Amino acid sequence: MRTAIVVGGGIGGLGAAIGLRLRGWEVTVLERRASTAPAGIGLVLQANGMRCLDALGLGDAVRAGGRPDAGGGTRTADGRWLARVDGDIMGDLLGTTAVGIHRATLHRILLDALPPGTVHSGATVTGATADGTVTYLSGGEQTRRADLVVGADGINSAVRTALWPRHPGPVRVGVVGWRGVTRDPWPGDIEVAISWGRGEEFGVVPLLDGRVYWFAAINAPGLVPGDPLDAVRERFGHWHDPIPAVLAATDPAGVLQDDLRCLDVPLPTFVRGNVALLGDAAHAMTPNLGQGANQALEDAVVLAAAGSLAGYDRERRPRSQRVARASRRIGWMSRTANPVTVAARNTLMRVIPPRAALRSMARYADWTPPPLEP
Ligand SMILES: Cc1cc2nc3c(=O)[nH]c(=O)nc-3n(C[C@H](O)[C@H](O)[C@H](O)COP(=O)(O)OP(=O)(O)OC[C@H]3O[C@@H](n4cnc5c(N)ncnc54)[C@H](O)[C@@H]3O)c2cc1C
């Protein structure tokens, strides 16, 4: 039986492990964290990510654990809609609706799809070689070899550092982001929306249990000192409803702050010998298109389905790097601080016909994975 070591038990690594097992591989996942609970809060799985989960046999479980995206759009800081999309129309266009889900729920569904013992927690990979040998720390230094090594160890990938030593690694985007969730279910309806100000943006996503996941971002040279929720309230507490109320209903202890980074220099290949990179290890992108995890799932299914690693690289690298570039561009537009560009952006957004807005939003989500035949 062909053997694979997957480094990293995040969304991409677990997805790859499930896909490879469906194709008959014997898989071990090495995960640095001692517990399997993921960091982070909410996530939107778009049509491409949902189709990948369908290919892995997990689409229905994820739909049951998440909340279908009823639609939403882009607003200004005072609440005027710039563009709005109906979730049902988008769902009809793409054949599946997007799903807002808590990361812990998605992680649990992925873990439950693997036999016990597949994931080795508390195993920190320190090196890898092109022949498929991995060195890791787990109660002392250990070495293991496999026919395939998958570097799914995120933006600071040790596998990438070992095998792509000349790559400069991630860079700071110049943006600080915060994420939080309301303590209790929201009393009433709330639409998925991203509101754009001048150099600032705020988004809300309802979760299945009724709580509201929110994220905020500003242009900033580094982490903002002090209490994170206070910092968000100071900047966004006067924005349109329901933003002030969402912040008031948030537990300060659960708010995360990130100095956002991405892989600015695209990798010339995702493959070296018997080793392939996927997910953030291969193409960490800014969160503006909400595609990072969706792209990691695309990688996972294509890798499992691919006849060769060269085929995987050919299929995945151009698309994931195109999505990363587009995400960066949208970030520049959404957080422009120049009043003239803000006015031009808002006018442009308002005059785009609804069908064109729909097509542009569907552009990156409209992707179908290859079948995963056993
Ligand atoms: C603010 C924010 C909002 C986002 N929102 C969205 C969204 O709405 N939709 C979306 O699709 N994406 C979103 N993303 C992006 C998404 O979170 C990532 O793209 C996705 O989690 C990448 O998955 P991954 O499995 O490649 O990496 P990760 O999730 O980073 O997983 C890597 C795993 O490898 C483990 N690991 C690391 N180093 C080692 C080592 N040396 N040895 C062993 N294990 C190791 C880590 O512990 C981790 O479990 C967002 C990102 C941010 C920052």
Side-chain angles (χ1 to χ4, degrees), residues 7-14 30-33 38 42-46 103 107 123-126 136 151-159 177-179 205 213 215-216 258 260-261 278-287 289-296 299:
V7 182
I11 296 167
L14 294 180
L30 300 177
E31 166 54 49
R32 177 177 62 182
R33 281 192 315 256
L43 190 69
V44 178
L45 292 164
Q46 302 187 33
R103 278 178 192 253
H107 207 77
T124 301
V125 169
T126 52
Y136 61 102
D153 47 346
I155 189 165
N156 297 317
S157 172
V159 176
W178 293 272
R179 294 177 272 174
V205 179
Y213 159 60
F215 54 90
D258 306 282
L260 297 184
R261 292 177 307 146
L278 66 69
D280 278 9
H283 46 64
M285 57 188 74
T286 63
L289 268 181
Q291 273 288 342
N294 290 282
Q295 290 301 306
D299 293 341

Short mmCIF file of all heavy atoms in Angstrom, two decimals, residues 7-14 30-33 38 42-46 103 107 123-126 136 151-159 177-179 205 213 215-216 258 260-261 278-287 289-296 299, ligand 1:
data_model
loop_
_atom_site.label_atom_id
_atom_site.label_comp_id
_atom_site.label_asym_id
_atom_site.label_seq_id
_atom_site.Cartn_x
_atom_site.Cartn_y
_atom_site.Cartn_z
N VAL A 7 1.84 16.64 6.93
CA VAL A 7 2.36 17.49 8.01
C VAL A 7 1.36 18.62 8.24
O VAL A 7 1.17 19.48 7.37
CB VAL A 7 3.74 18.07 7.65
CG1 VAL A 7 4.27 18.90 8.81
CG2 VAL A 7 4.71 16.96 7.29
N GLY A 8 0.68 18.61 9.39
CA GLY A 8 -0.30 19.65 9.70
C GLY A 8 -1.72 19.13 9.61
O GLY A 8 -2.13 18.60 8.58
N GLY A 9 -2.43 19.26 10.73
CA GLY A 9 -3.82 18.79 10.78
C GLY A 9 -4.81 19.94 10.78
O GLY A 9 -5.74 19.97 11.56
N GLY A 10 -4.60 20.91 9.87
CA GLY A 10 -5.58 21.99 9.67
C GLY A 10 -6.61 21.52 8.64
O GLY A 10 -6.70 20.32 8.32
N ILE A 11 -7.34 22.49 8.08
CA ILE A 11 -8.39 22.14 7.12
C ILE A 11 -7.79 21.45 5.89
O ILE A 11 -8.28 20.42 5.43
CB ILE A 11 -9.16 23.42 6.70
CG1 ILE A 11 -9.87 24.02 7.92
CG2 ILE A 11 -10.13 23.13 5.57
CD1 ILE A 11 -10.39 25.43 7.71
N GLY A 12 -6.66 22.01 5.39
CA GLY A 12 -6.04 21.44 4.19
C GLY A 12 -5.46 20.06 4.46
O GLY A 12 -5.65 19.13 3.67
N GLY A 13 -4.75 19.91 5.58
CA GLY A 13 -4.10 18.63 5.88
C GLY A 13 -5.12 17.53 6.12
O GLY A 13 -4.97 16.40 5.60
N LEU A 14 -6.15 17.84 6.90
CA LEU A 14 -7.17 16.80 7.17
C LEU A 14 -7.93 16.46 5.89
O LEU A 14 -8.23 15.29 5.62
CB LEU A 14 -8.13 17.26 8.27
CG LEU A 14 -7.51 17.45 9.67
CD1 LEU A 14 -8.56 17.92 10.66
CD2 LEU A 14 -6.85 16.16 10.17
N LEU A 30 0.85 14.33 11.05
CA LEU A 30 1.66 14.81 12.18
C LEU A 30 1.22 16.24 12.50
O LEU A 30 1.34 17.13 11.64
CB LEU A 30 3.14 14.78 11.83
CG LEU A 30 3.71 13.40 11.47
CD1 LEU A 30 5.18 13.52 11.06
CD2 LEU A 30 3.56 12.41 12.63
N GLU A 31 0.69 16.46 13.69
CA GLU A 31 0.16 17.78 14.05
C GLU A 31 0.88 18.28 15.30
O GLU A 31 0.94 17.59 16.31
CB GLU A 31 -1.35 17.68 14.30
CG GLU A 31 -1.98 18.88 14.99
CD GLU A 31 -1.72 20.24 14.34
OE1 GLU A 31 -1.91 20.37 13.12
OE2 GLU A 31 -1.31 21.17 15.06
N ARG A 32 1.37 19.51 15.20
CA ARG A 32 2.17 20.12 16.28
C ARG A 32 1.36 20.33 17.57
O ARG A 32 1.86 20.11 18.65
CB ARG A 32 2.68 21.46 15.76
CG ARG A 32 3.47 22.27 16.73
CD ARG A 32 3.97 23.51 16.07
NE ARG A 32 2.88 24.36 15.62
CZ ARG A 32 3.06 25.50 14.96
NH1 ARG A 32 4.25 25.92 14.66
NH2 ARG A 32 2.03 26.23 14.59
N ARG A 33 0.10 20.76 17.40
CA ARG A 33 -0.68 21.09 18.61
C ARG A 33 -0.96 19.83 19.41
O ARG A 33 -1.19 18.75 18.86
CB ARG A 33 -2.03 21.71 18.21
CG ARG A 33 -1.95 23.17 17.82
CD ARG A 33 -3.34 23.74 17.75
NE ARG A 33 -4.24 22.85 17.05
CZ ARG A 33 -4.67 23.02 15.81
NH1 ARG A 33 -4.29 24.08 15.13
NH2 ARG A 33 -5.48 22.17 15.26
N PRO A 38 -8.92 23.71 16.81
CA PRO A 38 -8.30 24.70 15.94
C PRO A 38 -8.41 26.11 16.52
O PRO A 38 -9.31 26.40 17.30
CB PRO A 38 -9.15 24.62 14.68
CG PRO A 38 -10.51 24.21 15.17
CD PRO A 38 -10.29 23.38 16.41
N GLY A 42 -15.07 31.81 12.96
CA GLY A 42 -15.97 31.40 11.86
C GLY A 42 -15.25 31.33 10.54
O GLY A 42 -14.09 31.71 10.42
N LEU A 43 -16.00 30.87 9.56
CA LEU A 43 -15.42 30.64 8.23
C LEU A 43 -16.59 30.55 7.25
O LEU A 43 -17.63 30.00 7.60
CB LEU A 43 -14.70 29.30 8.28
CG LEU A 43 -13.81 28.89 7.16
CD1 LEU A 43 -12.57 29.79 7.15
CD2 LEU A 43 -13.37 27.46 7.36
N VAL A 44 -16.40 31.08 6.03
CA VAL A 44 -17.44 30.87 5.02
C VAL A 44 -16.90 29.89 3.99
O VAL A 44 -15.84 30.12 3.39
CB VAL A 44 -17.85 32.19 4.34
CG1 VAL A 44 -18.89 31.93 3.25
CG2 VAL A 44 -18.41 33.17 5.38
N LEU A 45 -17.62 28.77 3.84
CA LEU A 45 -17.25 27.79 2.81
C LEU A 45 -18.06 28.12 1.57
O LEU A 45 -19.29 28.07 1.59
CB LEU A 45 -17.57 26.38 3.31
CG LEU A 45 -16.67 25.94 4.47
CD1 LEU A 45 -17.26 24.74 5.18
CD2 LEU A 45 -15.26 25.64 3.95
N GLN A 46 -17.36 28.50 0.50
CA GLN A 46 -18.04 28.91 -0.72
C GLN A 46 -18.33 27.68 -1.59
O GLN A 46 -17.96 26.57 -1.22
CB GLN A 46 -17.19 29.94 -1.43
CG GLN A 46 -16.95 31.14 -0.49
CD GLN A 46 -16.26 32.30 -1.17
OE1 GLN A 46 -16.44 32.54 -2.35
NE2 GLN A 46 -15.45 33.02 -0.43
N ARG A 103 -15.29 27.20 12.98
CA ARG A 103 -14.12 26.39 12.61
C ARG A 103 -14.05 25.08 13.41
O ARG A 103 -13.66 24.05 12.88
CB ARG A 103 -12.83 27.18 12.86
CG ARG A 103 -12.52 28.12 11.74
CD ARG A 103 -11.28 28.91 12.04
NE ARG A 103 -11.15 30.01 11.10
CZ ARG A 103 -10.25 30.05 10.11
NH1 ARG A 103 -9.41 29.07 9.94
NH2 ARG A 103 -10.21 31.07 9.31
N HIS A 107 -13.73 21.37 11.87
CA HIS A 107 -12.59 20.55 12.26
C HIS A 107 -13.05 19.20 12.79
O HIS A 107 -12.48 18.16 12.48
CB HIS A 107 -11.81 21.31 13.33
CG HIS A 107 -10.37 20.96 13.37
ND1 HIS A 107 -9.46 21.44 12.46
CD2 HIS A 107 -9.68 20.16 14.19
CE1 HIS A 107 -8.29 20.95 12.72
NE2 HIS A 107 -8.38 20.17 13.77
N ALA A 123 3.22 16.39 17.63
CA ALA A 123 4.37 16.00 16.80
C ALA A 123 4.77 17.20 15.94
O ALA A 123 4.04 17.57 15.02
CB ALA A 123 3.99 14.82 15.91
N THR A 124 5.90 17.82 16.29
CA THR A 124 6.35 19.03 15.57
C THR A 124 7.40 18.66 14.54
O THR A 124 8.49 18.19 14.88
CB THR A 124 6.95 20.05 16.56
OG1 THR A 124 5.95 20.36 17.52
CG2 THR A 124 7.40 21.32 15.87
N VAL A 125 7.07 18.87 13.28
CA VAL A 125 8.00 18.54 12.19
C VAL A 125 9.09 19.61 12.13
O VAL A 125 8.81 20.81 12.16
CB VAL A 125 7.24 18.40 10.86
CG1 VAL A 125 8.21 18.32 9.69
CG2 VAL A 125 6.34 17.17 10.91
N THR A 126 10.34 19.14 12.07
CA THR A 126 11.47 20.08 12.05
C THR A 126 12.22 20.04 10.72
O THR A 126 13.02 20.93 10.43
CB THR A 126 12.46 19.77 13.19
OG1 THR A 126 12.78 18.37 13.11
CG2 THR A 126 11.87 20.07 14.55
N TYR A 136 10.78 14.77 13.10
CA TYR A 136 9.86 15.49 13.97
C TYR A 136 10.15 15.22 15.44
O TYR A 136 10.82 14.23 15.78
CB TYR A 136 8.40 15.15 13.64
CG TYR A 136 8.03 13.69 13.80
CD1 TYR A 136 7.30 13.26 14.92
CD2 TYR A 136 8.37 12.75 12.84
CE1 TYR A 136 6.93 11.93 15.06
CE2 TYR A 136 8.01 11.42 12.98
CZ TYR A 136 7.29 11.02 14.09
OH TYR A 136 6.94 9.71 14.23
N GLY A 151 3.10 18.81 2.71
CA GLY A 151 3.37 19.93 3.62
C GLY A 151 2.12 20.79 3.72
O GLY A 151 1.85 21.64 2.87
N ALA A 152 1.32 20.53 4.76
CA ALA A 152 0.07 21.28 4.97
C ALA A 152 0.17 22.01 6.30
O ALA A 152 -0.78 22.09 7.06
CB ALA A 152 -1.13 20.33 4.95
N ASP A 153 1.39 22.53 6.56
CA ASP A 153 1.67 23.08 7.89
C ASP A 153 1.59 24.60 7.94
O ASP A 153 2.29 25.25 8.71
CB ASP A 153 3.02 22.56 8.43
CG ASP A 153 4.16 22.63 7.43
OD1 ASP A 153 3.89 22.83 6.23
OD2 ASP A 153 5.31 22.47 7.83
N GLY A 154 0.71 25.17 7.11
CA GLY A 154 0.34 26.57 7.28
C GLY A 154 1.38 27.57 6.81
O GLY A 154 2.41 27.24 6.22
N ILE A 155 1.10 28.83 7.12
CA ILE A 155 1.87 29.95 6.55
C ILE A 155 3.35 29.91 6.92
O ILE A 155 4.21 30.32 6.16
CB ILE A 155 1.21 31.29 6.94
CG1 ILE A 155 1.85 32.47 6.20
CG2 ILE A 155 1.23 31.51 8.45
CD1 ILE A 155 1.06 33.75 6.24
N ASN A 156 3.68 29.39 8.14
CA ASN A 156 5.10 29.33 8.56
C ASN A 156 5.71 27.96 8.26
O ASN A 156 6.63 27.53 8.96
CB ASN A 156 5.22 29.63 10.06
CG ASN A 156 4.74 31.03 10.38
OD1 ASN A 156 5.06 31.97 9.66
ND2 ASN A 156 3.96 31.16 11.43
N SER A 157 5.21 27.28 7.28
CA SER A 157 5.55 25.89 6.96
C SER A 157 7.04 25.51 7.14
O SER A 157 7.94 26.07 6.50
CB SER A 157 5.16 25.63 5.50
OG SER A 157 5.63 24.38 5.08
N ALA A 158 7.26 24.52 8.00
CA ALA A 158 8.62 23.99 8.18
C ALA A 158 9.03 23.19 6.95
O ALA A 158 10.21 23.14 6.58
CB ALA A 158 8.67 23.10 9.43
N VAL A 159 8.06 22.55 6.30
CA VAL A 159 8.36 21.76 5.09
C VAL A 159 8.82 22.71 3.97
O VAL A 159 9.80 22.44 3.27
CB VAL A 159 7.11 20.94 4.65
CG1 VAL A 159 7.39 20.21 3.35
CG2 VAL A 159 6.70 19.97 5.75
N GLY A 177 -6.09 42.66 11.72
CA GLY A 177 -7.46 42.16 11.72
C GLY A 177 -7.87 41.67 13.09
O GLY A 177 -7.02 41.23 13.87
N TRP A 178 -9.15 41.78 13.40
CA TRP A 178 -9.68 41.22 14.65
C TRP A 178 -10.84 40.29 14.27
O TRP A 178 -11.54 40.51 13.28
CB TRP A 178 -10.26 42.31 15.55
CG TRP A 178 -9.27 43.27 16.11
CD1 TRP A 178 -8.56 43.13 17.27
CD2 TRP A 178 -8.88 44.55 15.57
NE1 TRP A 178 -7.77 44.24 17.48
CE2 TRP A 178 -7.94 45.11 16.46
CE3 TRP A 178 -9.24 45.26 14.43
CZ2 TRP A 178 -7.37 46.36 16.24
CZ3 TRP A 178 -8.67 46.50 14.20
CH2 TRP A 178 -7.74 47.04 15.10
N ARG A 179 -11.03 39.26 15.09
CA ARG A 179 -12.17 38.35 14.90
C ARG A 179 -12.84 38.08 16.23
O ARG A 179 -12.14 37.96 17.25
CB ARG A 179 -11.69 37.01 14.34
CG ARG A 179 -11.11 37.11 12.96
CD ARG A 179 -10.59 35.76 12.48
NE ARG A 179 -9.20 35.55 12.86
CZ ARG A 179 -8.55 34.42 12.67
NH1 ARG A 179 -9.18 33.39 12.15
NH2 ARG A 179 -7.29 34.28 13.03
N VAL A 205 -21.12 37.56 9.93
CA VAL A 205 -21.57 36.29 9.35
C VAL A 205 -22.35 35.53 10.42
O VAL A 205 -21.79 35.18 11.46
CB VAL A 205 -20.36 35.41 8.91
CG1 VAL A 205 -20.84 34.09 8.34
CG2 VAL A 205 -19.46 36.14 7.93
N TYR A 213 -20.58 35.69 13.95
CA TYR A 213 -19.12 35.80 13.81
C TYR A 213 -18.85 37.14 13.12
O TYR A 213 -19.53 37.50 12.16
CB TYR A 213 -18.63 34.62 12.97
CG TYR A 213 -17.28 34.82 12.31
CD1 TYR A 213 -16.16 35.06 13.07
CD2 TYR A 213 -17.13 34.75 10.92
CE1 TYR A 213 -14.91 35.25 12.48
CE2 TYR A 213 -15.90 34.93 10.31
CZ TYR A 213 -14.80 35.19 11.10
OH TYR A 213 -13.59 35.37 10.51
N PHE A 215 -15.65 40.08 11.82
CA PHE A 215 -14.22 40.38 11.62
C PHE A 215 -14.08 41.85 11.25
O PHE A 215 -15.02 42.46 10.71
CB PHE A 215 -13.60 39.47 10.56
CG PHE A 215 -14.33 39.48 9.24
CD1 PHE A 215 -13.98 40.40 8.25
CD2 PHE A 215 -15.36 38.60 8.98
CE1 PHE A 215 -14.66 40.43 7.03
CE2 PHE A 215 -16.05 38.62 7.78
CZ PHE A 215 -15.70 39.53 6.80
N ALA A 216 -12.95 42.41 11.60
CA ALA A 216 -12.69 43.82 11.31
C ALA A 216 -11.25 43.95 10.88
O ALA A 216 -10.40 43.15 11.30
CB ALA A 216 -12.94 44.65 12.57
N ASP A 258 -4.84 39.73 14.67
CA ASP A 258 -3.77 39.21 13.80
C ASP A 258 -3.12 40.35 13.03
O ASP A 258 -3.82 41.22 12.53
CB ASP A 258 -4.33 38.25 12.72
CG ASP A 258 -5.16 37.12 13.27
OD1 ASP A 258 -4.57 36.17 13.77
OD2 ASP A 258 -6.40 37.20 13.19
N LEU A 260 -1.85 40.67 9.74
CA LEU A 260 -2.05 39.78 8.60
C LEU A 260 -0.80 39.66 7.72
O LEU A 260 -0.12 40.64 7.47
CB LEU A 260 -3.23 40.25 7.74
CG LEU A 260 -4.59 40.26 8.42
CD1 LEU A 260 -5.68 40.67 7.44
CD2 LEU A 260 -4.93 38.91 9.03
N ARG A 261 -0.54 38.43 7.29
CA ARG A 261 0.61 38.16 6.43
C ARG A 261 0.16 37.30 5.25
O ARG A 261 -0.88 36.65 5.32
CB ARG A 261 1.69 37.41 7.22
CG ARG A 261 2.33 38.28 8.32
CD ARG A 261 3.34 37.49 9.13
NE ARG A 261 2.74 36.27 9.63
CZ ARG A 261 3.41 35.13 9.78
NH1 ARG A 261 4.68 35.05 9.46
NH2 ARG A 261 2.80 34.06 10.23
N LEU A 278 0.59 22.24 0.23
CA LEU A 278 -0.78 22.66 -0.07
C LEU A 278 -1.28 23.65 0.97
O LEU A 278 -0.69 23.83 2.03
CB LEU A 278 -1.72 21.47 -0.23
CG LEU A 278 -2.08 20.52 0.93
CD1 LEU A 278 -2.93 21.17 1.98
CD2 LEU A 278 -2.83 19.33 0.35
N GLY A 279 -2.40 24.31 0.65
CA GLY A 279 -3.02 25.27 1.57
C GLY A 279 -2.12 26.47 1.81
O GLY A 279 -1.36 26.88 0.93
N ASP A 280 -2.18 27.02 3.03
CA ASP A 280 -1.40 28.22 3.33
C ASP A 280 0.10 28.00 3.17
O ASP A 280 0.84 28.94 2.92
CB ASP A 280 -1.70 28.69 4.77
CG ASP A 280 -2.98 29.51 4.84
OD1 ASP A 280 -3.70 29.56 3.82
OD2 ASP A 280 -3.27 30.09 5.91
N ALA A 281 0.57 26.78 3.35
CA ALA A 281 2.00 26.50 3.16
C ALA A 281 2.41 26.84 1.73
O ALA A 281 3.53 27.29 1.48
CB ALA A 281 2.30 25.03 3.46
N ALA A 282 1.50 26.65 0.78
CA ALA A 282 1.81 26.85 -0.63
C ALA A 282 1.44 28.25 -1.12
O ALA A 282 2.11 28.81 -1.98
CB ALA A 282 1.07 25.82 -1.48
N HIS A 283 0.32 28.82 -0.57
CA HIS A 283 -0.17 30.08 -1.17
C HIS A 283 -0.96 30.91 -0.16
O HIS A 283 -2.05 31.37 -0.48
CB HIS A 283 -1.02 29.78 -2.40
CG HIS A 283 -2.04 28.69 -2.17
ND1 HIS A 283 -3.07 28.80 -1.26
CD2 HIS A 283 -2.15 27.45 -2.70
CE1 HIS A 283 -3.77 27.69 -1.26
NE2 HIS A 283 -3.24 26.83 -2.13
N ALA A 284 -0.42 31.09 1.05
CA ALA A 284 -1.15 31.88 2.07
C ALA A 284 -1.55 33.22 1.46
O ALA A 284 -0.72 33.94 0.92
CB ALA A 284 -0.26 32.10 3.28
N MET A 285 -2.85 33.51 1.52
CA MET A 285 -3.36 34.72 0.87
C MET A 285 -4.06 35.62 1.88
O MET A 285 -4.36 35.19 2.99
CB MET A 285 -4.31 34.33 -0.27
CG MET A 285 -5.48 33.47 0.14
SD MET A 285 -6.43 32.87 -1.30
CE MET A 285 -5.37 31.60 -1.98
N THR A 286 -4.32 36.85 1.50
CA THR A 286 -5.06 37.75 2.38
C THR A 286 -6.51 37.23 2.47
O THR A 286 -6.98 36.54 1.55
CB THR A 286 -5.07 39.18 1.82
OG1 THR A 286 -5.74 39.17 0.57
CG2 THR A 286 -3.66 39.72 1.65
N PRO A 287 -7.23 37.55 3.55
CA PRO A 287 -8.57 36.96 3.70
C PRO A 287 -9.68 37.65 2.91
O PRO A 287 -10.83 37.28 3.04
CB PRO A 287 -8.84 37.10 5.22
CG PRO A 287 -7.89 38.09 5.74
CD PRO A 287 -6.78 38.26 4.75
N LEU A 289 -10.94 37.69 -0.12
CA LEU A 289 -11.90 36.94 -0.95
C LEU A 289 -12.54 35.81 -0.16
O LEU A 289 -13.41 35.11 -0.68
CB LEU A 289 -11.20 36.36 -2.17
CG LEU A 289 -11.18 37.15 -3.47
CD1 LEU A 289 -10.44 36.35 -4.54
CD2 LEU A 289 -12.57 37.50 -3.95
N GLY A 290 -12.10 35.60 1.09
CA GLY A 290 -12.63 34.49 1.89
C GLY A 290 -12.36 33.15 1.21
O GLY A 290 -13.19 32.25 1.22
N GLN A 291 -11.17 33.01 0.58
CA GLN A 291 -10.90 31.81 -0.22
C GLN A 291 -9.79 30.92 0.34
O GLN A 291 -9.57 29.84 -0.17
CB GLN A 291 -10.55 32.21 -1.66
CG GLN A 291 -11.77 32.37 -2.57
CD GLN A 291 -12.41 31.03 -2.93
OE1 GLN A 291 -11.81 29.98 -2.78
NE2 GLN A 291 -13.64 31.06 -3.38
N GLY A 292 -9.07 31.36 1.40
CA GLY A 292 -7.90 30.59 1.86
C GLY A 292 -8.22 29.14 2.15
O GLY A 292 -7.58 28.22 1.62
N ALA A 293 -9.23 28.90 2.98
CA ALA A 293 -9.57 27.53 3.34
C ALA A 293 -10.20 26.80 2.16
O ALA A 293 -10.00 25.60 1.97
CB ALA A 293 -10.52 27.53 4.53
N ASN A 294 -10.97 27.55 1.36
CA ASN A 294 -11.59 26.94 0.18
C ASN A 294 -10.52 26.46 -0.81
O ASN A 294 -10.64 25.39 -1.40
CB ASN A 294 -12.54 27.95 -0.48
CG ASN A 294 -13.77 28.22 0.37
OD1 ASN A 294 -14.69 27.42 0.39
ND2 ASN A 294 -13.77 29.32 1.10
N GLN A 295 -9.47 27.26 -0.97
CA GLN A 295 -8.37 26.85 -1.86
C GLN A 295 -7.62 25.66 -1.28
O GLN A 295 -7.16 24.79 -2.01
CB GLN A 295 -7.41 28.02 -2.09
CG GLN A 295 -7.99 29.13 -2.96
CD GLN A 295 -8.40 28.64 -4.33
OE1 GLN A 295 -7.60 28.05 -5.04
NE2 GLN A 295 -9.64 28.85 -4.69
N ALA A 296 -7.48 25.63 0.06
CA ALA A 296 -6.80 24.48 0.69
C ALA A 296 -7.59 23.21 0.42
O ALA A 296 -7.01 22.13 0.17
CB ALA A 296 -6.66 24.73 2.19
N ASP A 299 -6.94 22.14 -3.14
CA ASP A 299 -5.64 21.46 -3.22
C ASP A 299 -5.78 20.00 -2.77
O ASP A 299 -5.24 19.08 -3.39
CB ASP A 299 -4.63 22.11 -2.27
CG ASP A 299 -4.23 23.53 -2.66
OD1 ASP A 299 -4.43 23.90 -3.82
OD2 ASP A 299 -3.72 24.24 -1.78
C1 LIG B 1 -8.72 36.78 9.73
C2 LIG B 1 -8.83 35.61 8.78
C3 LIG B 1 -10.08 35.26 8.25
C4 LIG B 1 -10.19 34.20 7.34
N1 LIG B 1 -11.41 33.89 6.81
C5 LIG B 1 -11.52 32.91 5.88
C6 LIG B 1 -12.79 32.58 5.27
O1 LIG B 1 -13.84 33.13 5.58
N2 LIG B 1 -12.81 31.61 4.33
C7 LIG B 1 -11.67 30.95 3.95
O2 LIG B 1 -11.75 30.09 3.06
N3 LIG B 1 -10.47 31.21 4.53
C8 LIG B 1 -10.36 32.18 5.46
N4 LIG B 1 -9.15 32.44 6.04
C9 LIG B 1 -7.96 31.66 5.62
C10 LIG B 1 -7.93 30.29 6.26
O3 LIG B 1 -8.01 30.40 7.66
C11 LIG B 1 -6.63 29.57 5.88
O4 LIG B 1 -6.37 29.74 4.52
C12 LIG B 1 -6.76 28.08 6.18
O5 LIG B 1 -6.96 27.86 7.55
C13 LIG B 1 -5.49 27.36 5.72
O6 LIG B 1 -5.57 26.00 6.10
P1 LIG B 1 -4.26 25.13 6.15
O7 LIG B 1 -4.72 23.77 6.56
O8 LIG B 1 -3.48 25.29 4.90
O9 LIG B 1 -3.35 25.80 7.28
P2 LIG B 1 -3.63 25.98 8.83
O10 LIG B 1 -5.07 26.13 9.12
O11 LIG B 1 -2.69 27.04 9.29
O12 LIG B 1 -3.17 24.59 9.46
C14 LIG B 1 -1.82 24.24 9.58
C15 LIG B 1 -1.70 23.17 10.65
O13 LIG B 1 -0.34 22.75 10.69
C16 LIG B 1 0.08 22.68 12.04
N5 LIG B 1 1.54 22.89 12.03
C17 LIG B 1 2.21 24.04 11.79
N6 LIG B 1 3.55 23.83 11.84
C18 LIG B 1 3.72 22.51 12.12
C19 LIG B 1 4.87 21.70 12.28
N7 LIG B 1 6.12 22.20 12.16
N8 LIG B 1 4.69 20.39 12.56
C20 LIG B 1 3.43 19.86 12.65
N9 LIG B 1 2.31 20.60 12.51
C21 LIG B 1 2.45 21.91 12.23
C22 LIG B 1 -0.68 23.80 12.74
O14 LIG B 1 -0.76 23.59 14.13
C23 LIG B 1 -2.04 23.69 12.04
O15 LIG B 1 -2.90 22.78 12.67
C24 LIG B 1 -9.03 33.47 6.98
C25 LIG B 1 -7.79 33.79 7.54
C26 LIG B 1 -7.68 34.86 8.43
C27 LIG B 1 -6.33 35.21 9.01
#
